[in-house]
Amino acid sequence: MYVCQWSFDVPYGKQREALAAVKAWGEEKMRSSTFRKSKNRLMVGHVGASASRVVDEYLFERLEDFEKALEDMGQTQFRKRSDALAPFVVAGTQRWTVYRVVE
């Protein structure tokens, strides 16, 4: 089992718009990519983490499914979702972190 977290920061006061863009992208991911093989949750910083931090988390059984899901993001329907989110991502803050579940 793998926990795959995509995180990024948003500019002050733009969390609502960023979350709307992430949710729309997530709906498309679950419809037309290998992300549908995962369980998803969306989180924001609250205590000890900046409220500007957004974490889009996916739980995959197999690492290969996560890798395929990332490849799927090259499909044309995802470009408009990426473009819609781009103004709300602080440059240099986005990254993927992958954890292997041991227990």
Side-chain angles (χ1 to χ4, degrees):
M1 184 84 57
Y2 294 88
V3 176
C4 307
Q5 295 179 335
W6 182 46
S7 63
F8 57 90
D9 293 342
V10 299
Y12 180 80
K14 298 297 182 182
Q15 187 185 80
R16 183 180 321 185
E17 295 95 330
L19 290 176
V22 169
K23 288 176 185 177
W25 195 352
E27 290 169 2
E28 183 64 40
K29 282 189 234 182
M30 293 305 178
R31 265 194 307 274
S32 57
S33 79
T34 308
F35 275 99
R36 69 181 162 270
K37 291 186 174 187
S38 70
K39 293 183 181 175
N40 174 243
R41 66 180 173 180
L42 186 58
M43 302 173 283
V44 295
H46 189 64
V47 176
S50 171
S52 294
R53 173 64 44 100
V54 175
V55 179
D56 192 16
E57 181 179 272
Y58 298 88
L59 184 64
F60 283 94
E61 288 288 332
R62 301 172 344 119
L63 189 58
E64 295 81 7
D65 291 336
F66 170 62
E67 292 169 337
K68 175 66 172 112
L70 291 180
E71 287 177 27
D72 292 345
M73 292 300 97
Q75 297 175 42
T76 57
Q77 72 268 30
F78 295 111
R79 182 63 185 189
K80 70 178 179 179
R81 304 297 182 186
S82 175
D83 291 345
L85 179 60
F88 306 112
V89 176
V90 174
T93 64
Q94 67 171 336
R95 67 185 226 177
W96 277 99
T97 306
V98 178
Y99 298 93
R100 184 174 54 90
V101 177
V102 295
E103 284 189 27

